[in-house]
Amino acid sequence: MMDAGIEDNSNHNFSGYDVRVTDAAQNGDTFVYVIKSQQIPSDTEYRVEREFEDFEWLHHCLLTQEGVTGLHGIIFPPLPAKPGTFLSNSEAKTKKKIESLAMVDDWQMYCRALEEYLHLVTAHTVLIKNPAVHSFLKHRELPIKTKVKKGIFNKLTQAVEELRKEHHKDIDDFFQNERDSNLTLTAFTKAAVEKFLEIVLTEQKIAIACGHFSTALHLGIGQDDDPADYAFAKMCLKLSEVLDTVKKNFEKVAENDLNTLGFNLELHSRFQDAEKEMLFRRTCKLVDVETANKNLGQAKPHKKAAMEDIKKAADKEFDEISGMAKVEIQRYHRERVRAFQKALIELSDSQLQTARECCVELKQQLAEFKQLCAE
Amino acid sequence: MATEREPPPLGDAEQTDFRELEDGEDLFISTASTLESSPTSPEPASHPAEDICANSNGPQPAEISLDDDLEDLFAEATEEVSLDSPEREPILSDEPSPAITPVTPTALVTPRVEPKTIFVPAMFERSKEELEEEANGDSFDMEIVVSDPEKVGDGMNAYMAYKVTTKTSLTIFNENEFSVKRRFSDFLGLHSKLATKYMHIGYIVPPAPEKSIVGMTKVKVGKEDSSSTEFVEKRRAALERYLERTVKHPTLLHDPDVMQFLESSEVFSFNWNIQAANNLDNARLPRAVSTQALSGAGILRMVNKAAEAVNKMTIKMNESDAWFEEKQQQFENLDQQLRKLHTSVESLVCHRKELSVNTAAFAKSAAMLGNSEDHTALSRALSQLAEVEEKIDQLHQEQAYADFYLFAELLSDYVRLLTAVKGVFDQRMKTWQKWQDAQAMLQKKREAESKLQFANKPDKLQQAKDEIREATDDTIRGELSITSRVPVATGVQGNMHSLMVRIPSFRFEDSAMEKGYTVFKIDVLTSGRQHSVEKRYSEFHSLHKKLKKFIKAPEMPSKHVRNWVPKVLEHRRLGLEIYLQSRGYYQSNLAVKWKLSAD
């Protein structure tokens, strides 16, 4: 059983909710997350337990909500990837490559990711209105979930469609630019995430190696009859202490990295994907509109009315989407920059702090070492 | 025994200098002395003070033309006497030293007579600065730098030539500063020469850096990537350390091969079969083909190594000396410990390098992200992040290199040095084996002799007696070299020695019976106690005659002197001192008793 929750009440002042994912416990093979939420005006606090499947259900509900104008223009907050079993620290550190945050560290990181997801959902003015959210947060049991299975067939058709429509020229410059920049940014962000996670992994490996070195120095410290042996033993022990400091430093550094920039980069990599999806949906709609127009132009007179209707519907949808999308995109960029700034500041602060502490300790140990040699 | 120190019949000019040295000597001779006669197992004791004593032992320098005097002494000495060269040096105590100090201070003399250049001039130097150096504890003045690796030649015949620069104030060399070009196989050749000369008598010869076919092929082919430059740099540093260790060993420093290696600008090479002559102007010898990795000699070496390994397993030595057993155990432990440390450090270094690489990659990635970012502030921030990460990357790289050169290489050097030490122990085992064999042979010969006596065959009897005498010689030789811990001890524990002899002075004695003769004062230091006796030349001579029967003896100063100039006495004193010091190696019971006897 793991305890210690994560508190993050600072952001999202315009959400009516204060949501925290406080705990994660293993229940068989799945993990159960404890979610505590509180609607800001009221005092009642709800506590529910959810599994990852519940999150997926929620996400699906959001995507398929009925009766919301321009739903497809919304950039949906991305759900963290499905977690494997949380690798224990040592396992994670021996892995060569890390694909996502889910594999890197222990459950704490993942809980934070889930929490962020819920924050984003509740902060979204449109999404919060979805009753599914409320029931997710409050009700003991969720209504019967239809398993959302994205079969492989679906994926295939989807891929083919994507290829066809992806490069469709946009009528609106704004959106065209957005699509282009999104494309490049996605690629770069993904690369950055990968490299960054590799750094973190290497830092953790170094910490382990320092630990090994430190223990190795303890070997052979036997009887100290010979004065030369004794001096050597003392030196080894001192060096071992120094290495312990270095090890702790590296561990902290890795932790800081993960908590700040790592988290942020990862989130935004996923967000970029979400934006891409949204833009794609809009492009599909655009294609529909154009097809409808074409059809209208080519339609035989008796079908013209029907075509007109379709065209009008398509146009209307498209406009709604575009409208929503514009708003969303602007909001998204604002949020992204803000979040990035926050992450970078936190990274610098925490690393600086860690470095200063380490420096002080190492200086002291250096002085001790010099004294030892002078003896 | 208080001896009156009368200045020898030398010129007036030298008296003042003599007195100066006298003061120096007084500091150290005043210790009380009791006789201790335990010639077989001396306890190792450390006397840093004595090293200075030795230094003050120099013959009085003439105040006038010092250089000329040196020259003269040099010239004369090489004609008259063949001297061995003891040299004493204190431990370098500043560094955090491991349990063994492989760089060996106190001297040991090779039992073989090898004409060597006279060492006296060096003593001149040091006697002037001895008091300051006593504070430093380091009177060794030699600096070797290996630099400027250059690729010579092309294709598969290419090699790297390194410039070896020596800066020294030791006057055994012709100049103060000189440099030569050497290639890697030259270093290996030097090492193999030293090994054949010294290993079997118990010296610990520092091991040379290893051959690396992969590394060298890359360099030969001309790949200009970082791994080959790293390889060259690694090798250069290793060669420098190797040379420094070699010259720190006093005996190896005065080895003619080493000096030729450092000084001679002739194309240097070693031929396995030719014994290195002592002249510094060696003719062009063929290249050190025998050190090539895949040469015939190389394969022969491998076969030999395999045979030795098998031998090691079959020889079960009956270790009679607990000191050796203890030391061997110590070395085993140390070896294991160092190996483990080495692996840990290597993994740390490896990870650091990886981190540096990753950081660099991330920096690039962040830079690209910053470039494609529309929002200007964020873009700037990301670019700055990229810069910072680059700096971090540099730091990590530096740290990795520092770790590598300071720790990893040092540890691996020591591991190899320990292998050399183990080699010495193995030599000892082999010698023991030979001794056992010699004893068995002696036994057989004795039996044969007794048989022959019964059979009454006089001629065969004589032959048998001769054979017995040979066998006895062998056994004694074996026993002596087994019981002598001294070479290993000095290799191991630095400033340890068992027996130290000096002849600080001599005086004239008048006697009624015969015409006046000179008496030499001998100071003997053993296990911390000092004792003095006085002997005249004829007593030395009779000792020499007795010992010659057992052991190959070094040479004595000549008995007959053509021209009795004052300098001759000085020569004789020196010669006798060196003679005695070489005696000390064997700790022959006889010699010790003779020396310490009062009559």
Side-chain angles (χ1 to χ4, degrees), chain B residues 398-569:
Chain B
E398 277 175 30
Q399 180 69 45
Y401 280 136
D403 279 351
F404 182 67
Y405 284 112
L406 293 178
F407 271 136
E409 288 285 89
L410 196 69
L411 282 172
S412 67
D413 277 353
Y414 277 132
V415 169
R416 275 183 296 131
L417 214 65
L418 279 178
T419 329
V421 171
K422 279 203 232 165
V424 171
F425 277 113
D426 289 339
Q427 284 288 343
R428 188 164 174 279
M429 265 216 305
K430 275 201 224 138
T431 320
W432 181 85
Q433 183 74 354
K434 279 199 213 132
W435 177 35
Q436 295 298 94
D437 291 340
Q439 276 194 323
M441 182 71 73
L442 179 65
Q443 194 63 21
K444 270 200 282 177
K445 294 275 172 26
R446 286 222 174 99
E447 285 172 11
E449 191 208 1
S450 46
K451 269 197 232 157
L452 287 173
Q453 276 196 322
F454 280 129
N456 209 8
K457 289 196 188 151
D459 49 341
K460 288 232 174 97
L461 198 59
Q462 185 54 39
Q463 185 190 14
K465 280 206 161 64
D466 287 335
E467 283 172 357
I468 287 180
R469 202 164 13 153
E470 268 177 43
T472 321
D473 281 353
D474 284 335
T475 48
I476 292 186
R477 205 175 299 138
E479 183 169 0
L480 283 172
S481 37
I482 288 288
T483 52
S484 156
R485 297 176 183 162
V486 183
V488 180
T490 53
V492 165
Q493 296 263 9
N495 208 4
M496 310 244 178
H497 62 285
S498 46
L499 192 71
M500 220 189 84
V501 212
R502 293 187 301 130
I503 303 185
S505 63
F506 46 81
R507 63 183 178 81
F508 203 68
E509 189 158 297
D510 254 318
S511 152
M513 304 287 282
E514 47 184 302
K515 72 169 185 179
Y517 57 84
T518 315
V519 161
F520 296 90
K521 173 167 182 255
I522 309 172
D523 287 332
V524 179
L525 261 122
T526 168
S527 317
R529 295 181 188 79
Q530 182 170 313
H531 185 73
S532 301
V533 290
E534 285 191 325
K535 299 275 176 216
R536 56 181 290 188
Y537 182 84
S538 46
E539 294 171 294
F540 277 93
H541 194 73
S542 50
L543 168 72
H544 180 67
K545 281 213 312 229
K546 282 191 211 141
L547 286 177
K548 245 164 95 168
K549 293 187 198 152
F550 293 109
I551 301 150
K552 236 198 280 185
E555 300 196 6
M556 275 264 280
S558 48
K559 186 165 176 99
H560 303 289
V561 177
R562 229 180 303 133
N563 189 14
W564 271 100
V565 289
K567 245 186 235 161
V568 167
L569 269 176

Side-chain angles (χ1 to χ4, degrees), chain B residues 183-328:
Chain B
R183 58 180 289 189
F184 184 67
S185 40
D186 295 340
F187 287 86
L188 286 186
L190 175 69
H191 173 69
S192 64
K193 265 293 162 198
L194 292 178
T196 36
K197 273 201 269 190
Y198 293 104
M199 277 282 253
H200 68 278
I201 49 177
Y203 283 87
I204 298 172
V205 178
E210 279 156 5
K211 264 203 169 293
S212 160
I213 301 185
V214 176
M216 270 323 279
T217 322
K218 270 204 219 155
V219 172
K220 284 183 190 181
V221 166
K223 240 171 150 196
E224 274 304 319
D225 64 348
S226 59
S227 68
S228 55
T229 37
E230 257 181 52
F231 170 76
V232 171
E233 175 56 32
K234 205 170 131 177
R235 179 166 273 195
R236 184 207 67 77
L239 288 173
E240 191 171 298
R241 283 197 308 274
Y242 166 66
L243 280 182
E244 279 177 0
R245 281 213 190 89
T246 311
V247 298
K248 274 194 180 138
H249 195 302
T251 319
L252 295 182
L253 171 59
H254 291 88
D255 183 290
D257 289 327
V258 173
M259 297 206 307
Q260 182 192 4
F261 183 89
L262 290 173
E263 276 191 311
S264 158
S265 51
E266 283 282 331
V267 168
F268 185 79
S269 54
F270 273 124
N271 194 326
W272 274 109
N273 303 324
I274 298 181
Q275 279 286 334
N278 195 21
N279 48 4
L280 296 182
D281 305 315
N282 249 335
R284 268 182 177 253
L285 296 173
R287 216 159 52 80
V289 182
S290 48
T291 53
Q292 274 177 355
L294 292 176
S295 67
I299 296 183
L300 188 65
R301 272 202 297 279
M302 280 199 290
V303 171
N304 278 341
K305 268 194 206 153
E308 276 176 34
V310 171
N311 256 349
K312 233 195 284 188
M313 291 191 280
T314 50
I315 295 181
K316 233 355 174 132
M317 180 161 172
N318 186 10
E319 184 62 74
S320 50
D321 196 345
W323 186 86
F324 272 107
E325 200 164 322
E326 186 192 312
K327 283 284 167 244
Q328 221 165 350

